[in-house]
């Protein structure tokens, strides 16, 4: 999460915010965005595995197939692609129905 907030993700250090209340609000929004990106990355790994992930699962069922990118990076890329194509984001949770 640290690197996702800093150099590899949102670039928190580039904002140069000096007031604590503004920084608090920014971190809250970034935390929600981080949750959305990681959840989307996990969804993408399940629904759209890479060819390397498919091979790993077929050959070595005892080992966990790992992606070369983090769930955050994968999710952020998926969100950008969906937004560029004007498509809806995946539904990551559903309301309980009675």
């Amino acid at each position: 999460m640290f690197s996702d907030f800093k150099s590899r993700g949102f670039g928190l250090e580039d904002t140069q915010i000096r007031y604590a209340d503004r920084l608090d609000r920014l971190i809250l929004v970034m935390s929600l965005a981080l949750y959305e990106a990681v959840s989307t990355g996990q969804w993408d790994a399940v629904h759209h595995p890479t060819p390397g992930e498919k091979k790993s699962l077929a050959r070595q069922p005892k080992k966990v197939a790992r992606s070369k990118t983090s769930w955050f990076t994968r999710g952020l890329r998926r969100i950008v692609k969906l937004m560029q194509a004007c498509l809806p984001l995946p539904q990551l949770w559903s309301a309980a129905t009675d």
Side-chain angles (χ1 to χ4, degrees), residues 4-98:
D4 295 337
F5 273 5
K6 295 190 68 129
S7 58
R8 287 190 328 187
F10 296 123
L12 179 62
E13 69 275 2
D14 296 335
T15 62
Q16 300 178 0
I17 293 178
R18 295 184 182 172
Y19 299 105
D21 61 327
R22 292 179 184 176
L23 185 61
D24 289 344
R25 285 181 275 177
L26 179 61
I27 290 175
L28 174 64
V29 171
M30 288 171 57
S31 298
L32 295 171
L34 179 74
Y35 171 77
E36 183 75 20
V38 170
S39 298
T40 302
Q42 290 174 334
W43 173 87
D44 188 54
V46 170
H47 292 90
H48 303 101
T50 63
E53 291 170 341
K54 288 179 183 178
K55 273 186 190 176
S56 296
L57 288 174
R59 275 195 257 139
Q60 301 169 352
K62 292 184 180 182
K63 290 189 177 183
V64 176
R66 299 195 111 176
S67 177
K68 292 183 180 184
T69 58
S70 68
W71 283 332
F72 169 77
T73 303
R74 189 173 187 159
L76 203 56
R77 288 177 184 167
R78 174 61 71 174
I79 289 170
V80 168
K81 284 181 184 178
L82 290 172
M83 291 178 78
Q84 287 174 341
C86 297
L87 297 172
L89 297 177
Q91 184 177 354
L92 302 175
W93 63 87
S94 61
T97 57
D98 294 325

